[in-house]
Amino acid sequence: MMPFSCGETSWWNRMSDTLTAELEKYRIGPRMRELRLRKKLGLVQLGEHTGLSPAMLSKIERGQVFPTLPTLLRIALAFRVDLDYFFRKNEAKVAVTRPDERVRLPIPGGSSPPAYLFESLDYPLADRRMEAFLAFFPKGGPRSEPHRHGVEELIYVVNGQLDVVVEDEAFTLSEGDAMSFDSSVLHSYHGNREGDCLAFVVTLT
């Protein structure tokens, strides 16, 4: 391969500067930082959710590094937002999600069976104050890892049974039961061993 000539190098540098300037308009780093702070996550915690190092996440937030699309998608999934959130100039005010458009994601990823799978119901709304999703707990799935997030959570069991542990107190919810609690404390879920469970979950951030 022939080395770049002076003219080609100058052209590439100008193109690189132009691309950088255009990317900066989308404020990917600041948007990511706003999401992280809204969810009260540290860089280390976000790194655990995305598999990215805290140092790399910090560089992205400060605009020192622009993430690749696969990296940005991992970040978007961790925040339960659509990838368009980072490129949207006019944020959506109304969101309609169709069943065949939603993606069912396993938690934790790669496990078989997972503790549960969820479908975000409101991901197109960028600046939402709540998150709503359907959670599917397969028969024989493990208990989810204890976790905390946001300020409040509501669970409504559509069908089946669901065990929920909030701090050290255990509850069993059956079809039609609803439960709300302070989600900033440790909690976990476990589907009933006798069958699948489907629940509607809303969290306030």
Side-chain angles (χ1 to χ4, degrees):
M1 180 181 294
M2 295 293 291
F4 287 130
S5 67
C6 291
E8 290 172 327
T9 301
S10 177
W11 175 87
W12 177 251
N13 287 337
R14 290 197 305 273
M15 177 60 71
S16 180
D17 291 341
T18 299
L19 291 173
T20 299
E22 287 299 314
L23 284 170
E24 286 176 346
K25 293 180 181 179
Y26 290 99
R27 301 179 65 253
I28 292 175
R31 287 189 180 197
M32 175 180 145
R33 177 178 170 80
E34 289 168 5
L35 280 174
R36 181 174 63 80
L37 294 180
R38 189 188 307 162
K39 293 181 177 296
K40 300 179 181 179
L41 289 176
L43 288 170
V44 173
Q45 290 174 298
L46 182 56
E48 292 172 351
H49 287 291
T50 60
L52 302 169
S53 72
M56 172 59 72
L57 293 170
S58 177
K59 288 180 179 179
I60 294 172
E61 284 191 356
R62 288 180 289 162
Q64 296 178 341
V65 171
F66 290 109
T68 62
L69 281 178
T71 296
L72 194 58
L73 181 57
R74 288 161 70 178
I75 295 170
L77 291 175
F79 285 126
R80 297 174 187 164
V81 299
D82 188 45
L83 187 60
D84 287 348
Y85 171 83
F86 295 99
F87 301 102
R88 190 181 297 129
K89 292 184 177 179
N90 296 315
E91 296 180 348
K93 301 299 181 183
V94 178
V96 176
T97 61
R98 310 294 183 185
D100 59 347
E101 296 172 347
R102 297 193 294 264
V103 178
R104 179 174 283 189
L105 298 173
I107 301 294
S111 62
S112 181
Y116 62 96
L117 302 97
F118 75 89
E119 295 179 11
S120 176
L121 301 177
D122 58 355
Y123 65 87
L125 285 179
D127 195 27
R128 60 189 183 274
R129 295 293 182 266
M130 72 174 186
E131 294 180 353
F133 56 92
L134 287 176
F136 175 76
F137 301 84
K139 178 181 177 180
R143 180 175 296 279
S144 71
E145 289 295 322
H147 59 285
R148 66 183 87 206
H149 54 83
V151 296
E152 189 174 350
E153 180 168 329
L154 180 143
I155 301 174
Y156 175 82
V157 176
V158 179
N159 57 54
Q161 284 191 329
L162 179 66
D163 294 330
V164 183
V165 176
V166 180
E167 291 190 310
D168 296 323
E169 191 171 1
F171 304 86
T172 297
L173 306 178
S174 299
E175 182 176 328
D177 288 344
M179 173 184 181
S180 58
F181 56 91
D182 180 351
S183 58
S184 68
V185 301
L186 284 174
H187 57 281
S188 63
Y189 321 104
H190 192 198
N192 190 275
R193 296 180 181 86
E194 297 181 0
D196 298 334
C197 175
L198 179 66
F200 175 64
V201 182
V202 177
T203 63
L204 297 180
T205 59

